[in-house]
Amino acid sequence: MLWQKLLPVLLLAVALAAATPTSNHSSQYEESTQRILDVATQRMRVIWDMRRRIFLQLTSKGKSPLGGQAPSKQEVETETYKLLHELAANLSVVPVEQLRDPLLRRRVQRLAKLQLHGLRPDDYEQAKDLLRTMQNFISGALVCTSDDCSARRPLAMYPQLYNLNMHTRVYEDLKTNWFYWRIAINDKDTARSTFIDYVRLLRIAATYNGHVTPSRTWYLYYDTENFQAEMEEVIWEIMPLYREMHAYLRHSAKLAYPKANIKDDGAISAPVFDQMLSQAWYSHQIFRTPYPKDQLPSVHHRLEEVLVTPVKINNKATEFFESLGLNKMHSNFYERFLRRMNDDEGGPDCKSQVYYFPPDVAMRYCPKPNYKKLMQIHGTMAELQYNIYKRELPFGLDTEPCPGFAAALGETAVLASGTPRHLHRLYILLNDSLTENQSLNRLFRMGVHTLLAVPQYFINDKFLVDVMDGRIGVQDYNCAYWRLQDKFAGVQPPRWRTAKDFDLDYKFYRGLQPEKSSTRKFISEVLGFQFYRSFCIASQQYKPGDPNFPLHNCDFHKSTEAGDLMREMMKLGATKHWRDIMFIATGERKLSGRGILEYFAPLFTWLKERNMQLELEPGWEADELCRNE
């Protein structure tokens, strides 16, 4: 192929330029580098066309409308790997400091170092196989909940066991399911050995980048020394709020499950903690909301009456961004690039998908019209808007500046679209605010959803990184994990564990893919609340100290001021450091828990007062239930 013939020649041109004692070295470097990137861009366009054909085939019957059979997802992954791997090898010898064009310099910096794509072909295929194995820990039907497997079909952790655990009120069931899943995935030490093999490959990938400390490759696109320390600062910043929530939920758990032996000043048993996290919006939860008699208004039936179909929900989400002054979606998009998923796709919790193949973008949407999907589709539309802006940028910079940045922008739309103020705008709620008691109930459920999850993202990230960097040895895996759960979350195992066990949560395995990492999840939540606060202040829908304009009821719909901030960040893609881009909206260059704390401020006040009334002491002293013997 042409590119195979050109790349060695271009690489030789770079080397010759470096050896030529002339005054125009920089120009020669830039010309040679630009030619390498031009060839790479042509190859990327072929890959984009493959993605286009896959989208068109998914939305037609059988064959691609463009003729012939569309390529498989595996073929696209293979071609993408080849391109990125070979391109990085060529760019790694370019003297970046000699490039005068800042955008060209930025492209080289972004494309010259890789994570898993930096592995050699055999290692890369092994890494993908290991990730598939660990994904099967979650979605595979591996767990027998009775001694006789022939009596009942094995269950998957998600969604079957997850749903069983969410609905049960029997502690023994929670504990049994917790143990059986861990026994199933670690039969013959499978889970631990798979994880060890994967960490070995992550370390190899780091060596190709010249990183002595492997976590520098894991945090590659955050471009920050000791990024983990910055995330930990956020955890300690929100910890006073978390401790109050923990104390209140621990009290609820003691009342619901006396047999769990949860102490007044102790940690929460892991199976119970997992159940509470899953019950954030479940109507028959084990925890008590602040005002049980003042239930939140049901929006499901009203939403079906007003919006009726998923198409109308999509239209409302589109209108939200158009009201901010962002891209207007024209009839061509609706006719060619907006498609409905089949009813049997994605299961009960299907999620809409965005496709990126410049010069076009596309979306397939989930056909289930409910409150959760209404909020999620706003996040998906934010991703679509982001793709429309960044497609104007050169290949290599047409992406988010760091993992989780785009999702953080989407989170702002999710938060705004779920407010009573926005639901009133859509004629789903009669009033634009809830009563004070209802607002606290809503904030409490949001708190269970957010405050319990953020430390878990950090724990999973820290455990992986500490293992990669050698701070946690193989013999200490399990007990080190429980020490992190104790320190940052107040969670402990349901009974004695040893170094022979391997108790990591199913969400840990989800976060091992760089594209879906726990780091990304953490950033999207924390930075999302930072952006939300900034957009709400810009739109004057949040006025600190004014009870009529609280952050938790801010809807920045129709705010061109918020839209200007969002557009400016989206248009930059990865052309600048993520800290410089976040500064546009927040005026800050560091992650901060302030957005979370101000959002949940009324809940924080209520929790402190209620815990004092119940004589509950925030904080915990966990039992030592794991030993390395």
Side-chain angles (χ1 to χ4, degrees):
M1 294 179 67
L2 179 61
W3 61 264
Q4 290 174 313
K5 296 177 181 178
L6 280 175
L7 281 177
V9 175
L10 295 173
L11 185 57
L12 180 61
V14 174
L16 288 174
T20 306
T22 64
S23 60
N24 62 344
H25 281 181
S26 293
S27 297
Q28 293 175 322
Y29 293 144
E30 290 189 351
E31 290 173 7
S32 299
T33 302
Q34 188 62 58
R35 287 197 294 271
I36 292 174
L37 290 170
D38 288 345
V39 172
T41 301
Q42 291 300 319
R43 290 179 65 188
M44 194 67 227
R45 290 195 179 114
V46 174
I47 295 171
W48 287 334
D49 185 62
M50 294 169 73
R51 292 179 185 169
R52 178 193 300 269
R53 294 169 71 90
I54 289 175
F55 170 78
L56 293 174
Q57 177 173 278
L58 285 170
T59 56
S60 63
K61 294 182 178 179
K63 294 186 178 181
S64 166
L66 298 178
Q69 190 72 25
S72 66
K73 183 180 178 181
Q74 176 65 36
E75 290 175 307
V76 173
E77 289 179 355
T78 299
E79 290 304 312
T80 302
Y81 164 74
K82 288 179 180 177
L83 167 59
L84 295 179
H85 185 83
E86 293 159 6
L87 178 60
N90 281 275
L91 294 179
S92 65
V93 299
V94 173
V96 179
E97 67 281 356
Q98 296 291 329
L99 303 177
R100 293 172 299 184
D101 183 341
L103 282 184
L104 184 62
R105 188 164 59 244
R106 181 75 174 160
R107 289 179 77 186
V108 173
Q109 290 170 336
R110 295 281 297 189
L111 293 167
K113 293 185 178 181
L114 302 169
Q115 293 176 313
L116 291 182
H117 285 112
L119 293 169
R120 293 173 180 170
D122 289 347
D123 287 339
Y124 178 69
E125 289 302 320
Q126 185 185 4
K128 290 202 300 180
D129 288 342
L130 293 171
L131 286 171
R132 281 191 286 267
T133 297
M134 290 185 285
Q135 177 59 39
N136 194 55
F137 294 164
I138 304 168
S139 58
L142 305 173
V143 184
C144 293
T145 55
S146 62
D147 293 334
D148 183 9
C149 266
S150 61
R152 294 179 61 183
R153 294 180 62 184
L155 303 176
M157 177 66 231
Y158 191 88
Q160 286 101 339
L161 280 182
Y162 177 88
N163 287 330
L164 285 174
N165 291 340
M166 181 171 66
H167 292 92
T168 189
R169 299 302 290 260
V170 180
Y171 176 67
E172 286 301 319
D173 289 347
L174 286 176
K175 190 166 71 169
T176 298
N177 292 340
W178 191 91
F179 280 117
Y180 277 13
W181 178 70
R182 284 159 176 80
I183 291 170
I185 68 169
N186 213 32
D187 181 41
K188 299 179 182 178
D189 210 31
T190 302
R192 185 200 309 270
S193 61
T194 304
F195 173 66
I196 290 172
D197 287 343
Y198 184 66
V199 168
R200 178 182 62 83
L201 293 173
L202 290 175
R203 288 170 173 165
I204 291 174
T207 63
Y208 294 153
N209 289 328
H211 292 157
V212 177
T213 307
S215 61
R216 287 193 61 191
T217 289
W218 183 254
Y219 294 138
L220 181 62
Y221 301 111
Y222 298 103
D223 195 19
T224 300
E225 290 290 336
N226 200 4
F227 186 58
Q228 187 187 96
E230 184 171 341
M231 291 194 292
E232 185 171 337
E233 286 180 13
V234 174
I235 294 296
W236 292 122
E237 188 178 358
I238 66 173
M239 187 58 72
L241 170 57
Y242 180 87
R243 287 175 182 270
E244 296 289 348
M245 175 67 91
H246 182 278
Y248 184 81
L249 291 174
R250 178 178 58 203
H251 177 69
S252 296
K254 276 177 61 65
L255 296 177
Y257 299 124
K259 294 183 179 180
N261 295 321
I262 297 174
K263 297 178 180 178
D264 289 337
D265 61 348
I268 299 174
S269 178
V272 179
F273 183 90
D274 293 342
Q275 182 188 45
M276 290 191 292
L277 184 52
S278 73
Q279 290 182 337
W281 297 103
Y282 179 53
S283 57
H284 301 291
Q285 73 285 345
I286 67 163
F287 50 79
R288 182 184 177 93
T289 55
Y291 297 98
K293 294 182 180 180
D294 295 288
Q295 292 301 310
L296 296 173
S298 175
V299 301
H300 180 72
H301 295 299
R302 183 64 182 156
L303 187 145
E304 288 184 332
E305 291 173 2
V306 174
L307 298 182
V308 185
T309 66
V311 173
K312 289 192 175 181
I313 292 180
N314 291 339
N315 290 341
K316 291 300 181 183
T318 301
E319 290 170 13
F320 178 88
F321 289 97
E322 291 176 354
S323 80
L324 303 179
L326 272 63
N327 293 293
K328 182 176 177 61
M329 308 310 292
H330 297 287
S331 57
N332 180 60
F333 171 77
Y334 290 105
E335 292 170 5
R336 298 180 60 195
F337 298 114
L338 181 65
R339 293 290 185 270
R340 172 190 174 117
M341 288 181 172
N342 296 327
D343 290 336
D344 59 348
E345 282 189 82
D349 192 31
C350 66
K351 294 181 180 179
S352 301
Q353 300 172 349
V354 172
Y355 294 77
Y356 180 67
F357 38 77
D360 298 307
V361 296
M363 188 178 89
R364 299 178 70 225
Y365 63 87
C366 177
K368 297 176 175 59
N370 57 46
Y371 175 59
K372 184 177 180 180
K373 298 307 170 194
L374 171 68
M375 292 191 295
Q376 286 180 344
I377 198 64
H378 281 74
T380 306
M381 283 293 180
E383 182 184 356
L384 194 75
Q385 287 281 344
Y386 205 156
N387 283 345
I388 292 172
Y389 283 114
K390 65 187 179 63
R391 69 184 176 184
E392 304 298 327
L393 297 169
F395 163 58
L397 300 180
D398 58 337
T399 184
E400 59 185 344
C402 70
F405 197 95
L409 289 173
E411 183 69 15
T412 67
V414 171
L415 290 169
S417 65
T419 59
R421 187 165 285 162
H422 191 73
L423 295 176
H424 174 67
R425 193 189 301 275
L426 299 179
Y427 303 104
I428 293 172
L429 288 183
L430 296 178
N431 301 308
D432 64 359
S433 63
L434 302 175
T435 67
E436 184 178 349
N437 291 359
Q438 288 175 325
S439 289
L440 278 167
N441 285 341
R442 177 177 175 270
L443 273 177
F444 186 85
R445 289 189 175 275
M446 287 287 292
V448 173
H449 172 76
T450 302
L451 299 176
L452 269 60
V454 170
Q456 291 299 314
Y457 296 142
F458 174 72
I459 289 167
N460 287 339
D461 177 84
K462 181 171 175 57
F463 177 82
L464 172 62
V465 165
D466 285 356
V467 168
M468 287 172 59
D469 289 350
R471 289 186 291 274
I472 298 176
V474 175
Q475 295 304 315
D476 196 31
Y477 278 179
N478 206 46
C479 291
Y481 173 72
W482 286 117
R483 287 195 294 272
L484 292 174
Q485 287 287 354
D486 171 21
K487 181 176 181 179
F488 295 107
V491 175
Q492 67 183 25
R495 71 178 188 195
W496 276 101
R497 309 300 284 160
T498 71
K500 294 180 181 179
D501 301 307
F502 197 63
D503 293 331
L504 281 81
D505 182 73
Y506 80 93
K507 293 182 286 294
F508 172 80
Y509 296 103
R510 274 185 175 171
L512 290 177
Q513 296 190 50
E515 299 81 12
K516 299 178 180 179
S517 70
S518 297
T519 325
R520 178 190 292 265
K521 288 279 190 180
F522 183 93
I523 298 302
S524 67
E525 290 283 357
V526 173
L527 194 54
F529 276 92
Q530 283 183 262
F531 285 152
Y532 181 63
R533 177 183 181 275
S534 298
F535 295 161
C536 289
I537 289 176
S539 65
Q540 297 188 351
Q541 292 301 304
Y542 170 47
K543 300 177 182 178
D546 187 340
N548 294 317
F549 292 89
L551 184 56
H552 60 80
N553 197 25
C554 159
D555 173 23
F556 53 86
H557 180 269
K558 286 191 175 179
S559 170
T560 55
E561 293 83 4
D564 289 345
L565 296 175
M566 190 178 290
R567 183 192 311 105
E568 189 174 352
M569 290 193 291
M570 288 180 171
K571 289 175 71 173
L572 287 172
T575 58
K576 294 184 178 181
H577 196 288
W578 65 275
R579 296 190 189 279
D580 296 330
I581 298 177
M582 76 172 281
F583 184 83
I584 293 169
T586 66
E588 300 171 318
R589 285 191 165 86
K590 283 191 68 176
L591 296 175
S592 167
R594 181 165 63 168
I596 292 176
L597 290 174
E598 292 185 19
Y599 185 92
F600 291 107
L603 176 64
F604 195 8
T605 299
W606 181 88
L607 283 169
K608 286 187 287 189
E609 293 174 353
R610 185 57 179 155
N611 286 341
M612 287 182 65
Q613 292 170 2
L614 295 171
E615 297 182 345
L616 304 178
E617 188 68 29
W620 55 84
E621 290 291 337
D623 297 323
E624 185 182 351
L625 292 178
C626 187
R627 292 181 179 173
N628 291 330
E629 57 186 31

